[in-house]
Amino acid sequence: MKILVAVKRVVDYNVKVRPKSDGTDVDIANAKMSINPFCEIAVEEAVRLKEKGVATEIVAVSMGPKQSQEQIRTAMALGADRGILVESDDALEPLAVAKCLKAIIANESPDLVIMGKQSIDGDNNQTGQMLGALTSMPQGTFASEVEIADGKAKVTREIDGGLQTVELTLPAIVTTDLRLNEPRYASLPNIMKAKKKPLDTTTPADLGVDTAPRVQTLKVEPPAERQAGIKVADVAELVDKLKNEAKVIS
Amino acid sequence: MAAPILNTRDLEFMLYELFDAEGMTQRPRYADHSRETFTAAMDTSRAVAEKYMLPIRQKVDTNEPTFDGKNVHMLPEIKTAVQAVIDSGLSSMTADYELGGMQMPLIAANATGAYLSAAGSTMMGYTGLTNANCNLIEAHGTQAQIDKWVAPMREGRFAGTMAMTEPGAGSGLADLTTSAVPQEDGTYRVSGNKIFISGGDHELNENIVHLVLARVKGAPKGVKGISLFIVPKFLVNEDGSLGERNDVWLAGLFHKMGGRGQTSCALSFGEKEGAVAYLVGEENQGLRYMFHMMNEARIMVGTAAAVTALTGYQYSLDYAKERPQGRLASCKDPHSAPVNIIKHPDVRRMLLAQKAYSEGAYALCLLGAQLADDERTAPTEEERKQAHLLLDFLTPIIKSWPSEYGPRANSLAIQVMGGHGYINEHPVEMFYRDNRLNPIHEGTYGVQSLDLLARKVPMGGMAGYQACLAEMEKTINEASTDAAVAGFAKELTEAIQTLKSTTEVLLGAMAEKNIDLALANSVKYLELFGNVVVAWIWLKQGIVASKALAGNPHEDDQKFYKGKLQALKYFYRFELPEINVWSKILCDLDDTTYEMQEEWF
């Protein structure tokens, strides 16, 4: 069984990002970049499936600038067998990414695609679902447990107010939630081995994908600073304010 | 947000801007590496440190190992943490691929290991010493010894120690009495007592390989009659399986002020028929071989001291940014909100001092690591020789300056935090206790000062000394063309002048007058030389920062580089001038301490 895992290069979760002073974008010029945490969980799940003998090959794919190779290498150090970079310096929106993935799937014919439910920079939570629509593959999003047996994937999903289990016929798409697993770190020997694993590069154009943005960013600004609190004279005033100013009670 | 263990930006500055860690990847030995593999290794190290070491740091400190007369007991979490270090490949980063290592350059490995050392404090002593033990056997042992002992140590199955100190022979190794009797089968039987053996007994590993200094029967007195032996806790059969228990026993554990992650043991060799021992190299050459390990251990000590200072600095810095207390003298309004303590200039003084000490010390250690790399792998024989010369000369300073100024930095971290720094709700008091060992072991501060003044300076027609001055000269020339740092270059030139004239007076006095008097203030000479060297290291950092600032970097980097320049300034204003007091004492051949009589105390 072949698993395709999508990994994205994003600003490291420890970095506090700021808007650029001209408000055109987020300033990430100098920031440490890492593999998106949800993608890391996706890689871990794929590696565990391989360790269990369920999967035989893991292919890590990323779309982004040349440096996204680093994140593919990270995935390979964690256990992916080879990598594919779809190189593009454009800001890729979920639809473009999903189209690239669709083209890769057409070439690779994986039995399972595992990807993060969202990336911590865009926070869109769209790519997996769009890919499902584009490929007509069944999808199990927000997975907290994945079981593969008899050509099917049993996916436990984290939904509002509980868990839902769905059964998907392979090939299928799974997007990972936070509690699916705890990703490992790469051992040093595996970091070295990853350097020798094959990594192919292609481009959206080669895959016949139009990456032109569909969304225009008008302005990026920091959230308003929190105002200082005030002291109220008595309960009556507090109730009044909750009713008429905060409008949280009626 | 919690304080970071270490400032990763600063480590990257040192590796890639101040030094050329990336350049190492041009050398055949390191050809598989790149900045990417270094970064990945550092990420792994930080992950292991945060997952396994930070959570138990205080527990390890408050639950020291115990001995029930038979076995050592320690927190089981220590084994888990040490095993995680071994399993992730962090315990043998610099070893050959064939031996299970990652063949990392020492400079990159040093910075990678820094996270573990900062977070786990002294738990790292086990794997650190094991590594040094392996390196010694690889350098001086036979192939059979390497196969038998090094391989399982590299795999993390065996641990290693160095057993030198005895109850009657600590700094004065010449008087050691542990004896070795040759046997017909070519092995020896060792008997004697050793103390302060770090990692001397524990059950973290299957076996422990002691490197023991002992005197073969009939060997000459003094250091010329010392041989080095491999003495395992368990004998090892031909097929590599564990054999009988050897005649080496734990006599007791010491209760240490700090460093409680690692056992410190009294070991008794040969209580029965003598411990089976295997000679390393030739008889009576033991001390020379041991110095192979000692020199490495001395850089390890400097590094541990510097890293403990760095992490204490980060911790107290984080605290100072968040702890509101008091108002500035200029603020007369009692209704105004108190300011965070970092707004008080005296708190900034203590933070700046910590920054200057710890970053200066650590950069010095990385220079040492780079020289150790150059000594092994520089392209030409001439470069390798030059690196060896300079490293050998600088070793007493790399060991001593960080271990003297590291605890000072930790003391200031406590001071920044006031009462909260003095209690164990925060780790800074532990950092201080842990760090306080460093001026003591692997050659005390005093021993290092004698090594520098009486041995290293005059050695080889002062070749090491001259090489060191020549390197400083190069930096001064570079700095002189940059207006932002040229003033400091001038001050360093003057400081070197002071160093030169002081050295001349002392060498003259050693040759012509009472040598005991000439060496009486040797520690002040070590401090003088150390401050000049660290001033040089800061000037190097200043040159890089100034150049980077001229390129109009990102706002965050601008702040970072300005901080470097301010620490440079602090060092030259507050610390470097002290050498003038010390120089006067030295040049006067001041006899205050020399003349003091035992009975007058």
Side-chain angles (χ1 to χ4, degrees):
Chain A
M1 189 177 110
K2 188 196 270 188
I3 301 179
L4 192 76
V5 184
V7 294
K8 185 176 181 185
R9 175 183 174 86
V10 297
V11 173
D12 188 87
Y13 72 94
N14 278 312
V15 175
K16 279 188 209 157
V17 292
R18 283 184 307 243
K20 284 183 181 168
S21 51
D22 61 5
T24 53
D25 206 344
V26 176
D27 180 7
I28 56 164
N30 212 35
K32 176 177 165 61
M33 305 297 279
S34 295
I35 187 168
N36 177 45
F38 291 107
C39 301
E40 223 175 349
I41 294 171
V43 174
E44 176 67 32
E45 196 61 20
V47 174
R48 288 187 188 188
L49 286 171
K50 194 179 170 192
E51 284 171 346
K52 277 190 216 155
V54 175
T56 48
E57 191 188 18
I58 302 168
V59 184
V61 188
S62 188
M63 292 89 206
K66 195 174 176 27
Q67 297 92 318
S68 303
Q69 281 189 1
E70 291 168 22
Q71 281 62 47
I72 296 177
R73 291 274 175 221
T74 304
M76 294 197 290
L78 294 171
D81 299 293
R82 59 189 173 90
I84 302 171
L85 170 64
V86 183
E87 191 177 331
S88 169
D89 287 328
D90 299 338
L92 299 178
E93 290 175 357
L95 183 60
V97 174
K99 285 179 175 174
C100 288
L101 280 172
K102 184 193 171 192
I104 302 269
I105 289 168
N107 294 337
E108 293 283 340
S109 322
D111 302 284
L112 187 64
V113 178
I114 311 181
M115 50 203 297
K117 70 168 180 179
Q118 69 193 61
S119 57
I120 59 166
D121 52 357
D123 267 348
N124 286 303
N125 181 9
Q126 293 172 343
T127 309
Q129 294 86 333
M130 286 176 170
L131 182 63
L134 289 171
T135 58
S136 301
M137 283 160 76
Q139 51 177 301
T141 50
F142 318 130
S144 64
E145 209 183 326
V146 175
E147 261 181 79
I148 310 284
D150 309 324
K152 296 197 189 300
K154 210 160 99 183
V155 178
T156 306
R157 308 179 60 228
E158 297 197 2
I159 57 168
D160 288 344
L163 298 172
Q164 178 193 52
T165 306
V166 294
E167 193 175 71
L168 317 172
T169 305
L170 299 181
I173 299 162
V174 170
T175 74
T176 62
D177 216 321
L178 202 62
R179 278 158 290 271
L180 179 58
N181 59 48
E182 191 192 338
R184 69 195 67 193
Y185 43 80
S187 76
L188 272 55
N190 286 343
I191 291 168
M192 299 312 288
K193 280 182 203 146
K195 289 203 69 166
K196 300 206 161 70
K197 292 182 178 176
L199 200 172
D200 296 325
T201 302
T202 177
T203 62
D206 289 344
L207 297 173
V209 173
D210 166 21
T211 60
R214 267 59 168 178
V215 180
Q216 195 190 345
T217 302
L218 298 179
K219 201 169 153 195
V220 177
E221 54 189 351
E225 275 198 38
R226 216 185 128 149
Q227 298 297 312
I230 53 156
K231 275 187 184 166
V232 290
D234 49 33
V235 175
E237 192 189 342
L238 175 66
V239 172
D240 176 64
K241 282 190 183 297
L242 288 173
K243 234 182 221 170
N244 300 316
E245 270 183 37
K247 298 195 170 88
V248 290
I249 54 174
S250 54
Chain B
M1 208 175 102
I5 312 174
L6 291 172
N7 178 353
T8 302
R9 175 68 185 90
D10 191 39
L11 291 186
E12 286 175 349
F13 168 82
M14 291 192 197
L15 286 181
Y16 306 119
E17 298 174 62
L18 179 61
F19 300 115
D20 186 17
E22 229 173 332
M24 291 288 164
T25 62
Q26 303 297 316
R27 300 179 184 175
R29 181 178 171 81
Y30 307 132
D32 292 341
H33 282 280
S34 59
R35 182 166 172 168
E36 211 182 311
T37 58
F38 300 160
T39 305
M42 286 167 82
D43 284 348
T44 294
S45 178
R46 199 178 58 188
V48 171
E50 286 174 353
K51 185 168 177 185
Y52 294 99
M53 301 200 150
L54 266 190
I56 61 166
R57 180 164 69 185
Q58 193 188 28
K59 210 170 160 189
V60 168
D61 182 49
T62 48
N63 294 276
E64 63 176 351
T66 56
F67 177 45
D68 63 9
K70 257 183 144 177
N71 297 309
V72 175
H73 300 279
M74 61 173 88
L75 289 175
E77 294 96 320
I78 295 180
K79 187 173 170 74
T80 312
V82 170
Q83 199 57 45
V85 170
I86 292 166
D87 291 344
S88 59
L90 289 164
S91 60
S92 55
M93 290 184 277
T94 57
D96 296 355
Y97 293 136
E98 298 77 56
L99 292 163
M102 195 167 158
Q103 238 163 275
M104 254 175 116
L106 296 169
I107 185 168
N110 189 304
T112 303
Y115 288 101
L116 301 174
S117 176
S121 193
T122 46
M123 273 180 278
M124 287 313 298
Y126 295 109
T127 51
L129 272 174
T130 302
N131 225 346
N133 182 311
C134 289
N135 294 345
L136 186 150
I137 299 178
E138 275 174 19
H140 301 291
T142 61
Q143 189 55 47
Q145 286 173 334
I146 294 172
D147 294 342
K148 191 163 186 180
W149 307 110
V150 174
M153 281 199 276
R154 292 286 188 214
E155 285 167 27
R157 291 196 291 120
F158 294 5
T161 74
M162 55 199 288
M164 304 201 300
T165 304
E166 296 179 4
S171 294
L173 265 183
D175 296 319
L176 68 85
T177 60
T178 296
S179 68
V181 182
Q183 307 292 305
E184 278 177 7
D185 64 356
T187 65
Y188 292 74
R189 294 292 176 273
V190 162
S191 325
N193 296 310
K194 295 283 179 183
I195 58 167
F196 301 158
I197 309 309
S198 294
D201 203 8
H202 54 77
E203 298 189 347
L204 297 169
N205 306 75
E206 291 171 25
N207 200 359
I208 302 175
V209 181
H210 305 288
L211 283 170
V212 181
L213 287 181
R215 218 177 268 290
V216 176
K217 239 182 152 184
K221 290 263 172 238
V223 294
K224 292 200 168 81
I226 296 176
S227 303
L228 181 66
F229 298 91
I230 294 170
V231 185
K233 179 174 170 182
F234 287 97
L235 300 181
V236 172
N237 300 322
E238 284 307 313
D239 65 356
S241 62
L242 288 195
E244 275 174 52
R245 184 74 163 76
N246 201 6
D247 191 9
V248 41
W249 308 99
L250 177 62
L253 292 176
F254 294 99
H255 303 284
K256 292 182 285 179
M257 170 181 179
R260 293 181 183 150
Q262 194 178 24
T263 54
S264 179
C265 305
L267 293 180
S268 167
F269 293 82
E271 283 184 358
K272 297 171 183 167
E273 67 285 356
V276 176
Y278 312 96
L279 181 71
V280 177
E282 293 169 27
E283 281 187 8
N284 301 332
Q285 297 292 317
L287 205 57
R288 187 165 68 79
Y289 306 144
M290 193 56 117
F291 264 92
H292 189 276
M293 189 168 176
M294 281 280 277
N295 279 331
E296 199 176 322
R298 283 176 175 174
I299 297 172
M300 261 168 58
V301 170
T303 300
V307 167
T308 309
L310 284 171
T311 198
Y313 162 54
Q314 288 301 322
Y315 197 94
S316 61
L317 173 63
D318 187 68
Y319 183 90
K321 284 177 179 173
E322 291 186 351
R323 167 75 174 167
Q325 202 68 201
R327 288 157 191 81
L328 293 183
S330 55
C331 173
K332 307 289 183 208
D333 177 9
H335 297 292
S336 64
V339 295
N340 288 333
I341 59 171
I342 198 165
K343 299 287 182 207
H344 298 296
D346 186 55
V347 170
R348 291 201 297 277
R349 169 188 66 84
M350 294 188 281
L351 291 168
L352 205 42
Q354 287 184 69
K355 183 176 169 70
Y357 297 165
S358 60
E359 293 177 7
Y362 191 58
L364 173 63
C365 294
L366 284 185
L367 171 70
Q370 176 162 287
L371 288 171
D373 275 323
D374 288 344
E375 178 185 61
R376 290 167 78 178
T377 59
T380 67
E381 173 70 26
E382 181 53 33
E383 285 168 285
R384 291 194 291 271
K385 262 166 93 181
Q386 202 56 28
H388 173 78
L389 180 69
L390 190 55
L391 178 60
D392 194 48
F393 181 79
L394 283 173
T395 296
I397 295 171
I398 296 172
K399 194 271 168 184
S400 301
W401 203 90
S403 59
E404 175 67 20
Y405 282 78
R408 284 196 207 183
N410 289 144
S411 173
L412 287 168
I414 296 172
Q415 193 68 22
V416 164
M417 297 173 62
H420 295 278
Y422 191 69
I423 58 175
N424 75 355
E425 273 172 41
H426 297 280
V428 290
E429 56 88 30
M430 181 194 75
F431 294 152
Y432 179 77
R433 286 184 288 109
D434 285 352
N435 217 344
R436 190 59 188 81
L437 173 64
N438 289 318
I440 300 171
H441 65 161
E442 314 304 341
T444 63
Y445 204 52
V447 165
Q448 300 296 332
S449 74
L450 292 172
D451 182 42
L452 179 68
L453 178 55
R455 266 187 80 231
K456 295 288 169 67
V457 169
M459 206 157 74
M462 300 183 79
Y465 172 85
Q466 298 297 356
C468 180
L469 294 193
E471 284 300 315
M472 296 200 248
E473 211 54 58
K474 276 189 217 163
T475 306
I476 288 170
N477 289 337
E478 199 185 335
S480 304
T481 58
D482 179 347
V485 289
F488 300 114
K490 198 165 154 281
E491 286 178 50
L492 183 58
T493 307
E494 286 162 17
I496 292 172
Q497 216 43 57
T498 304
L499 171 66
K500 280 183 182 165
S501 56
T502 310
T503 306
E504 214 168 289
V505 170
L506 289 174
L507 292 185
M510 279 158 63
E512 293 155 22
K513 297 189 183 155
N514 176 351
I515 182 139
D516 291 333
L517 172 61
L519 293 175
N521 301 316
S522 61
V523 156
K524 290 293 154 194
Y525 182 75
L526 174 66
E527 295 197 357
L528 190 161
F529 214 136
N531 264 17
V532 171
V533 165
V534 175
W536 164 52
I537 296 287
W538 267 112
L539 183 58
K540 277 168 106 66
Q541 300 193 59
I543 293 170
V544 178
S546 164
K547 262 196 200 135
L549 272 172
N552 193 27
H554 191 275
E555 192 189 336
D556 294 342
D557 276 344
Q558 283 190 31
K559 292 177 192 161
F560 176 81
Y561 294 124
K562 281 178 183 167
K564 283 286 176 194
L565 288 175
Q566 204 69 7
L568 163 70
K569 184 174 173 187
Y570 170 85
F571 198 84
Y572 276 73
R573 290 288 168 274
F574 285 71
E575 305 291 338
L576 185 59
E578 290 201 37
I579 66 166
N580 297 314
V581 179
W582 304 334
S583 168
K584 183 159 184 347
I585 290 171
L586 289 160
C587 291
D588 290 351
L589 292 179
D590 186 283
D591 62 2
T592 310
T593 54
Y594 181 78
E595 286 297 338
M596 180 67 185
Q597 302 295 306
E598 204 175 322
E599 297 77 16
W600 300 350
F601 282 103

